[in-house]
Amino acid sequence: MRRSAQHIMIMLGGSLLLASCASYQVRKGDEALALYAYADAQKHYDKALAHHTDRDVLLHTAEACRNQNKLDEAAAYYKAAEAIDSLSGNAAFEYGRMLMSMGQYQQAEPFFMRVINDQPEQHVALDLLGSCQGYLSFFTDSSRFTVSPLPLTGVATAFSPVPYQDGLLFTGERDKG
């Protein structure tokens, strides 16, 4: 009986030690993140995550990875946080932006939709959602259009044409002659 009580005390003490170690690592990671020391923050958060999985720590680790341009690692942390509970607000916005930078436009759309539903005044999220939705239009049938040079006398270079009344308005540089 006495031995089992000792084993229980040792196990309880060990779990308390691990819990305090994890909270210490989280605190050190938060300090490093506040100082923009993203690599140090990631190390501390990874040590804390080795002890137990916490959604907020996953999001902080994802932020640290994203700021180091470690997009694949950041995506894994965001995905793990999303599995615990749906991302919203700034976390959803940053995850959507990161997915876009990785070329995963269709996966980014739902995250921007969440941001817009929560914060309709978030115009940047609305613009990025439009970019995600309009991305495939760049790959439409290019044989529908024909591009040919238009000779303009007295103009060396012309750019930025826009339709204007019954004609075409453009900016250009005159010939030296």
Side-chain angles (χ1 to χ4, degrees), residues 85-103:
D85 190 22
S86 295
L87 297 178
S88 62
N90 192 49
F93 179 76
E94 292 299 337
Y95 187 34
R97 281 185 48 204
M98 196 197 63
L99 288 171
M100 280 186 73
S101 66
M102 294 172 63

Side-chain angles (χ1 to χ4, degrees), residues 53-66:
T53 303
D54 180 69
R55 184 175 183 271
D56 290 333
V57 176
L58 286 168
L59 291 174
H60 288 298
T61 312
E63 180 183 353
C65 289
R66 183 177 45 81

Side-chain angles (χ1 to χ4, degrees), residues 41-76:
Q42 182 186 359
K43 288 177 195 173
H44 290 294
Y45 290 138
D46 283 338
K47 288 177 184 176
L49 288 170
H51 297 293
H52 77 292
T53 303
D54 180 69
R55 184 175 183 271
D56 290 333
V57 176
L58 286 168
L59 291 174
H60 288 298
T61 312
E63 180 183 353
C65 289
R66 183 177 45 81
N67 285 315
Q68 295 177 77
N69 210 21
K70 296 179 178 179
L71 300 182
D72 292 332
E73 288 181 52

